[in-house]
Amino acid sequence: MSECRQPRNGSLVKNAGADDAPVFSVKQSEELIDPLNRPYSDILVTGNVVITEIDLCDSSASENGYGWEGYQNEALPEKEQHRYIRNLRFQIFNVYRRLFTIAFVVNLAILISLAVKGNAEVPYLASVVIGNIFVAVLIRQDNVVNGLFCAFTSVPNSWPLSVRTFVARIYSLGGIHSGSSVAATLWLFYFTIRVTEDLIKKKASAPLTGITYTILLLLIVIIALAMPSFRRLKHDYFEMVHRLLGWTVTALVWAEVILLTRDYKDPQKHLHVALRESAPFWLVVILTASIASSWMHLRKVKVTSEVLSDHAIRINFDHKTPAPGTFVRISHSPLTEWHSFATIAAPQKQGYSIIVSRAGDWTSNVIANPPHEVWIRGIPTCGVMTIVPLFRRVVIVATGSGIAPCAPHLFAKQTAIKLLWISRNIAKTYGAAFVDSIMSAAPDSVIYDTDAYGRPNMVQLIHHLYKEFDAEAVCIIANQPITQKVVYGLMTRYGGLSIVRFPAITMGFIFRGVAAFGAIWDS
């Protein structure tokens, strides 16, 4: 470090043990007494351990080590490949966009072929439109998501790292949802043209044509509001509109299928018989059941709340114990807004908890008015951290309340983990009990106090720990800009690996970077 700085708030905690030990330094004491007689807010008490403040300018402090010192002196490998190739591969065509492209381009090729031939029948086009909507809806269904994660993450960690790195990208499956949704809208545009032609020829009815135009308009609005720029600015509004317009489209699709079947069926066949033999009808039945399934699990549950600080609150549930890496949705108003939070299964106890940190009006209200009951919907659903057991040794990085999705894996001890927790004043923010549980589960964790040291060079620090721990992968839970910067910065730098992935997915490039994973905000 170029200069010695005192902590600006609270206390700094430091390890007096091994070089790779966490920032914490503990002083065993039979009684919970601070020898310097300072107020409780200036120390962190964990069980029968008193963690005391140290002087950053004390030379003995730097001799003991924080677990990350010296990382700035370690040369960071240069990025691999040319800048344009890197950006094309890891940013423009990341796995999410590759899946989007495959889903969209396959549909586009078939559509162009049919449009050129000009012989596509309206019922056939309807089947393709509804088929794409079916895929877009079903790929987001809780049980389908959990089933796909279960299948992909069941790969043994004794398999080649190339295979495990490939299957770990399962959390990018949202690309199929987006690609199928846009493809469905494109098909619907062509379908609308053909229905309009048939209306002129007296083959299609006016109600069918009117509903078709309405569905097309609503899908265009849904896609426009799902653009990342709008979602970042008005996420709650996006979620509500996406849900309500989605329900409206589903209802209109039912009417569309019935009218379409009536207009184009054999005159000798009854409507109910024609519907029973119609593929679009059964696709709509299944996708409607898929949408309704999560609402069949809608219930209000009693909770206990523990205010950790004016920045965070912990809400405890006791109705089930979810697997590590899952998240749940909670709400005060089920029809208008839902918020997803990672589950923290209590070690050897029934139930789980979530941590809500201040990030807006809704979270601020929850902290100011701790709830006694909340609405929950669906089932605990797998998220990005479900992939952790695929790897034998993992560096997990959490910033602030990002510790919540990471904690269950620390408690479960399914794989060797090195935790890097970057936050400000964790003792005051997250409470002694929670921090103590983290340190008990992962005593060699590295905690970087940004109040004391400012912001670190994230990529350089994580790469240092990755090499030191001899890890196979890095998983990070942080905000979107940090996550994208770290994942890109690690994947484009040499990590001691040489992996050839499947050419259809990776465009044939040889991967030599660090296997890094983080949420991609594609919901």
Side-chain angles (χ1 to χ4, degrees):
M1 293 176 56
S2 59
E3 62 178 325
C4 184
R5 290 180 287 177
Q6 295 288 350
R8 291 187 289 275
N9 295 299
S11 60
L12 171 71
V13 284
K14 176 185 185 300
N15 193 288
D19 290 340
D20 63 345
V23 178
F24 285 91
S25 173
V26 299
K27 179 178 178 182
Q28 298 293 339
S29 174
E30 295 181 358
E31 299 180 4
L32 298 179
I33 300 175
D34 175 20
L36 301 183
N37 199 30
R38 290 167 297 182
Y40 177 80
S41 61
D42 289 338
I43 62 172
L44 170 63
V45 181
T46 59
N48 67 337
V49 175
V50 178
I51 300 176
T52 63
E53 182 179 64
I54 66 166
D55 184 352
L56 293 181
C57 296
D58 183 356
S59 61
S60 63
S62 59
E63 292 175 2
N64 292 325
Y66 295 95
W68 47 259
E69 70 280 69
Y71 81 92
Q72 293 171 320
N73 299 325
E74 184 177 303
L76 189 63
E78 292 295 324
K79 294 178 180 178
E80 300 271 321
Q81 302 176 332
H82 190 277
R83 177 165 59 94
Y84 295 119
I85 298 297
R86 294 195 307 266
N87 293 343
L88 180 67
R89 181 183 176 193
F90 294 112
Q91 293 183 328
I92 298 175
F93 279 108
N94 56 32
V95 176
Y96 172 88
R97 287 175 176 158
R98 293 173 208 173
L99 293 174
F100 174 96
T101 301
I102 291 171
F104 179 75
V105 169
V106 168
N107 276 278
L108 181 62
I110 298 173
L111 175 58
I112 292 174
S113 174
L114 289 176
V116 169
K117 293 178 181 178
N119 59 354
E121 297 293 332
V122 167
Y124 174 79
L125 294 176
S127 298
V128 179
V129 171
I130 294 173
N132 274 282
I133 295 176
F134 174 83
V135 172
V137 171
L138 211 67
I139 201 70
R140 284 302 195 196
Q141 207 273 339
D142 293 346
N143 290 292
V144 173
V145 171
N146 287 349
L148 289 172
F149 267 91
C150 180
F152 276 69
T153 59
S154 63
V155 171
N157 61 19
S158 59
W159 283 25
L161 183 57
S162 58
V163 176
R164 289 179 283 135
T165 302
F166 174 78
V167 299
R169 301 291 175 190
I170 180 62
Y171 63 88
S172 297
L173 55 80
I176 300 174
H177 168 79
S178 301
S180 298
S181 299
V182 176
T185 306
L186 192 64
W187 278 104
L188 184 59
F189 183 79
Y190 183 49
F191 173 81
T192 304
I193 294 174
R194 294 302 308 274
V195 168
T196 303
E197 293 174 349
D198 281 1
L199 175 66
I200 296 172
K201 297 176 184 177
K202 307 296 185 181
K203 293 178 63 176
S205 63
L208 173 64
T209 307
I211 289 177
T212 300
Y213 275 92
T214 304
I215 294 174
L216 178 61
L217 176 62
L218 292 179
L219 286 181
I220 291 173
V221 171
I222 290 174
I223 291 173
L225 296 182
M227 297 300 289
S229 56
F230 180 82
R231 290 174 59 176
R232 281 193 294 268
L233 293 175
K234 300 286 185 180
H235 185 77
D236 291 344
Y237 182 74
F238 154 75
E239 291 279 3
M240 181 178 65
V241 171
H242 203 74
R243 184 180 308 111
L244 297 179
L245 290 187
W247 292 347
T248 304
V249 168
T250 302
L252 290 174
V253 167
W254 270 104
E256 177 95 351
V257 168
I258 293 172
L259 290 173
L260 179 75
T261 305
R262 185 200 66 180
D263 290 354
Y264 288 88
K265 71 178 180 65
D266 184 339
Q268 304 300 320
K269 190 175 292 185
H270 291 292
L271 179 59
H272 71 276
V273 175
L275 285 172
R276 193 171 62 229
E277 296 173 353
S278 169
F281 172 77
W282 292 109
L283 290 177
V284 175
V285 169
I286 297 173
L287 74 85
T288 303
S290 173
I291 294 171
S293 64
S294 68
W295 292 91
M296 291 177 181
H297 290 89
L298 177 68
R299 58 205 181 278
K300 181 178 281 189
V301 299
K302 294 187 180 298
V303 298
T304 57
S305 299
E306 176 189 356
V307 178
L308 304 177
S309 66
D310 61 359
H311 179 76
I313 184 174
R314 188 174 187 179
I315 302 176
N316 300 289
F317 301 76
D318 61 7
H319 62 281
K320 66 167 51 183
T321 304
T326 57
F327 66 89
V328 293
R329 306 173 186 89
I330 70 171
S331 176
H332 293 316
S333 178
L335 291 179
T336 57
E337 62 178 0
W338 286 92
H339 302 268
S340 299
F341 296 94
T343 62
I344 307 174
Q348 300 179 340
K349 294 181 181 179
Q350 171 74 14
Y352 64 94
S353 63
I354 63 174
I355 290 181
V356 179
S357 60
R358 189 181 300 277
D361 294 340
W362 189 88
T363 53
S364 297
N365 181 63
V366 170
I367 295 171
N369 303 283
H372 299 290
E373 54 185 14
V374 297
W375 288 95
I376 60 174
R377 174 172 63 89
I379 59 176
T381 308
C382 294
V384 60
M385 292 301 288
T386 308
I387 69 172
V388 168
L390 279 170
F391 305 99
R392 291 189 286 266
R393 299 179 68 81
V394 185
V395 172
I396 289 182
V397 182
T399 62
S401 57
I403 189 64
C406 308
H409 291 287
L410 301 176
F411 299 147
K413 301 182 183 297
Q414 295 173 313
T415 190
I417 294 174
K418 181 79 167 185
L419 172 67
L420 170 61
W421 188 4
I422 301 175
S423 183
R424 55 181 303 179
N425 212 333
I426 63 166
K428 289 184 178 180
T429 304
Y430 301 101
F434 179 70
V435 176
D436 181 50
S437 66
I438 295 295
M439 298 309 299
S440 297
D444 65 339
S445 298
V446 174
I447 298 182
Y448 191 105
D449 186 350
T450 55
D451 270 350
Y453 295 104
R455 295 182 180 180
N457 182 322
M458 294 280 287
V459 175
Q460 191 171 12
L461 173 55
I462 295 169
H463 193 275
H464 166 77
L465 294 175
Y466 167 82
K467 291 180 59 181
E468 183 182 70
F469 190 59
D470 192 25
E472 289 187 325
V474 173
C475 295
I476 179 170
I477 300 295
N479 61 34
Q480 186 172 5
I482 290 177
T483 299
Q484 292 176 340
K485 179 180 179 179
V486 168
V487 170
Y488 176 79
L490 292 174
M491 291 184 67
T492 55
R493 287 183 166 87
Y494 180 64
L497 307 174
S498 182
I499 301 173
V500 180
R501 296 185 187 164
F502 300 94
I505 303 298
T506 62
M507 303 184 297
F509 290 116
I510 296 177
F511 177 72
R512 288 156 44 92
V514 176
F517 308 90
I520 55 177
W521 289 270
D522 67 325
S523 61

